[in-house]
Amino acid sequence: MKMHRTQRSLLALIFLLTAGVGFSQDSVLSATDAIQYAIEHNYGIIVSRNSVEIGAIQNNWANAGGIPVIGATANKVLGSNNLKQTLNNGTTTNKRGTRISNFNAGLAVNWVVFDGFKMFATKRKLEELQRNGEYQFRKSLNETVYTVLASYYNVVSLGQQVRSTLEQISLYKDRFTLSQRRLEIGTGAKYEVLESQVDLNGQRSILLNFQNSLEQEKRTLTNLMGMRPDTSFAVEDSIIINPLPTLENAKEEIDQNNPDLMLAASDLTVLFETKKELRAQMFPTVTLNSFYNFARNSNSAGFNLFNQTYGPSGSVGITVPLFTGGLARQQLAVADIQIRNQEATQTGIRNEVATALDKAYINYYNSLKIVELEKDNLKLAQENIYIATERFRQLTITAVELRQVQISYNDAKTRLYNALYQAKLAEAQVALLTGQIANL
């Protein structure tokens, strides 16, 4: 049987993505490694992949009703009876312990040669259901990859926040030390020392929260990859943003590769074939039947002591539906409504996907603008931190002024990390909608 183009591409995708990848707890786990591990071990993907195999197994002419049904039977009877018999010529027989031996065997072939073309509609429906399972697998695969990427880069972002907070703690420690020295030489105030200590403790609390969130997100990622929750691994320390295709190209990719649209179209095709199956109920059914029977009966007493017959036979059966209470027409009317509903659903999905794509592009480009802006802000804040710290050492600014500079520096880094993460999520969202996320 000729393999459908979608099937070939799906098999190629599975082969590519399930290629083995080694994992070492001492090495850095890349986003690609995380995706490959999830494809190999994620339980949802395993179940979805098995469903594809079930669809392929069920897609055959036997399930469609187009294959003859052949059956064989055999029956052996042994018995001992008492016989009392009077014939019309006056002969009487009275015998005890009469032995009886009967043997019957047969071979029957039943073949529905015409059922209103239902078997052909059913076969096309089975083929579409197989493709439907493949689209379901693509959808599950893409969504899992997106979730893995979102979790992976959240781990990266949280790691950046942890390192940023450690740096902030170092700055706050310097301020606390300088405040103490200024108090000791009489140029500072007690409240400056207390405030710097409060700020330092606050950063330590923030660090604990970030570390907790990081460990929680790592557990989420290991679960998505099908690993033990206590698996230790390191991730990359930066987020690289890749350029997006043009919006027009992305829309073309959506029309060809978006799993939700492909699945909606497949569901509609299944409904059309189901309607053809229902319409077939209004046509006659023609069945060919052929038999080969063998029968042998023996009796130690009676009129017939031995009888044996064998040979082929055949028949043609025609069933014509004369009256079903309008059931077929009712079912066809329901099928028409289901088709209209699916067409509306398909249009709604197309609109939702287009809206999600526009929003993803807006988020992506706005996030890039924020990234560039915050990179510049961060350079200015770093320089300002150095100047403010030196001026504080030289007693030319207050602790309140230094504190504000430190807060501005921390806020700039936080906004930069958040913008990078949001840009990466938007990039992954576009790849998810266009069906290209496995290529990230």
Side-chain angles (χ1 to χ4, degrees):
M1 183 177 65
K2 186 176 180 181
M3 186 176 291
H4 192 272
R5 182 173 63 87
T6 303
Q7 293 173 285
R8 292 197 302 268
S9 61
L10 179 65
L11 292 174
L13 178 64
I14 293 175
F15 176 79
L16 174 66
L17 295 180
T18 57
V21 55
F23 178 76
S24 172
Q25 294 183 357
D26 298 328
S27 61
V28 175
L29 179 73
S30 68
T32 302
D33 293 338
I35 291 173
Q36 290 179 326
Y37 267 95
I39 290 172
E40 289 184 28
H41 304 293
N42 180 274
Y43 302 111
I45 290 181
I46 292 174
V47 172
S48 183
R49 188 183 294 120
N50 290 340
S51 298
V52 173
E53 294 184 18
I54 292 174
I57 293 171
Q58 292 179 333
N59 180 18
N60 56 72
W61 279 104
N63 275 336
I67 301 297
V69 177
I70 302 175
T73 60
N75 186 38
K76 176 72 173 178
V77 178
L78 296 174
S80 177
N81 295 331
N82 297 324
L83 175 65
K84 187 176 183 180
Q85 186 180 61
T86 301
L87 303 180
N88 58 8
N89 61 4
T91 302
T92 61
T93 302
N94 192 350
K95 194 170 184 179
R96 301 176 62 84
T98 301
R99 293 188 304 275
I100 298 173
S101 176
N102 298 329
F103 177 75
N104 297 280
L107 184 67
V109 179
N110 180 275
W111 189 6
V112 178
V113 294
F114 180 78
D115 59 355
F117 304 105
K118 178 183 177 182
M119 65 181 72
F120 299 101
T122 302
K123 184 60 171 67
R124 290 191 297 268
K125 180 179 177 180
L126 290 172
E127 292 172 354
E128 193 60 42
L129 286 173
Q130 181 179 350
R131 283 191 288 270
N132 194 286
E134 294 167 359
Y135 298 149
Q136 289 279 8
F137 172 73
R138 280 182 175 270
K139 178 178 172 65
S140 175
L141 177 68
N142 287 0
E143 290 177 349
T144 300
V145 170
Y146 174 80
T147 305
V148 169
L149 284 174
S151 179
Y152 179 88
Y153 285 110
N154 194 22
V155 171
V156 175
S157 181
L158 288 169
Q160 291 175 329
Q161 297 282 16
V162 167
R163 291 189 294 273
S164 174
T165 306
L166 288 171
E167 181 184 2
Q168 199 72 7
I169 286 175
S170 178
L171 293 174
Y172 278 40
K173 282 182 178 179
D174 289 343
R175 194 179 105 215
F176 174 71
T177 301
L178 292 174
S179 296
Q180 280 187 319
R181 291 177 180 174
R182 288 178 58 160
L183 178 62
E184 291 171 357
I185 63 176
T187 57
K190 181 67 173 179
Y191 81 89
E192 292 180 343
V193 178
L194 296 176
E195 186 176 46
S196 62
Q197 181 67 63
V198 170
D199 289 341
L200 178 59
N201 290 339
Q203 287 299 313
R204 287 169 174 164
S205 177
I206 292 173
L207 175 63
L208 291 174
N209 286 329
F210 276 134
Q211 289 174 333
N212 179 70
S213 298
L214 177 59
E215 291 303 316
Q216 294 290 334
E217 192 61 41
K218 279 189 172 182
R219 299 303 186 275
T220 299
L221 183 56
T222 55
N223 180 56
L224 290 170
M225 293 189 295
M227 294 181 175
R228 291 172 54 89
D230 58 351
T231 302
S232 176
F233 61 90
V235 297
E236 297 169 346
D237 58 359
S238 61
I239 297 178
I240 306 300
I241 307 300
N242 300 314
L244 292 182
T246 63
L247 185 58
E248 290 73 19
N249 289 340
K251 289 180 179 179
E252 291 179 2
E253 288 291 336
I254 281 178
D255 290 335
Q256 298 176 5
N257 298 314
N258 181 269
D260 291 305
L261 291 179
M262 297 167 73
L263 191 57
S266 178
D267 289 338
L268 184 59
T269 301
V270 169
L271 288 175
F272 278 122
E273 297 301 332
T274 300
K275 182 180 177 180
K276 293 177 183 178
E277 288 179 322
L278 295 173
R279 186 182 290 115
Q281 299 178 27
M282 305 173 69
F283 291 86
T285 300
V286 180
T287 306
L288 295 181
N289 303 290
S290 62
F291 311 92
Y292 188 93
N293 294 316
F294 176 87
R296 183 178 63 191
N297 302 316
S298 63
N299 196 331
S300 61
F303 186 77
N304 292 320
L305 299 181
F306 180 80
N307 184 39
Q308 178 174 296
T309 60
Y310 58 89
S313 62
S315 67
V316 177
I318 300 178
T319 303
V320 180
L322 298 178
F323 179 74
T324 60
L327 179 61
R329 296 187 182 278
Q330 294 173 20
Q331 292 174 333
L332 286 172
V334 171
D336 286 333
I337 296 174
Q338 291 175 332
I339 288 173
R340 291 198 299 271
N341 285 344
Q342 183 58 30
E343 289 173 340
T345 299
Q346 186 177 17
T347 303
I349 292 174
R350 186 177 299 278
N351 189 61
E352 289 177 2
V353 170
T355 301
L357 182 67
D358 283 346
K359 292 169 65 175
Y361 267 81
I362 292 171
N363 287 338
Y364 177 83
Y365 287 114
N366 282 342
S367 296
L368 286 187
K369 292 177 183 178
I370 295 174
V371 167
E372 294 304 316
L373 179 62
E374 294 305 334
K375 283 182 177 178
D376 294 337
N377 283 342
L378 191 56
K379 292 179 182 178
L380 297 174
Q382 286 173 331
E383 184 177 358
N384 202 19
I385 277 284
Y386 175 77
I387 295 174
T389 302
E390 291 302 316
R391 292 184 63 189
F392 187 70
R393 294 179 190 275
Q394 298 170 11
L395 309 179
T396 58
I397 63 172
T398 65
V400 174
E401 293 173 307
L402 177 59
R403 178 177 183 270
Q404 188 57 49
V405 171
Q406 291 174 335
I407 291 175
S408 298
Y409 176 61
N410 186 59
D411 290 346
K413 288 193 296 182
T414 300
R415 290 192 299 267
L416 175 60
Y417 297 147
N418 288 338
L420 284 169
Y421 181 57
Q422 292 302 319
K424 196 64 181 180
L425 283 185
E427 177 193 330
Q429 180 73 12
V430 171
L432 172 65
L433 294 171
T434 57
Q436 303 296 321
I437 191 163
N439 298 328
L440 287 182

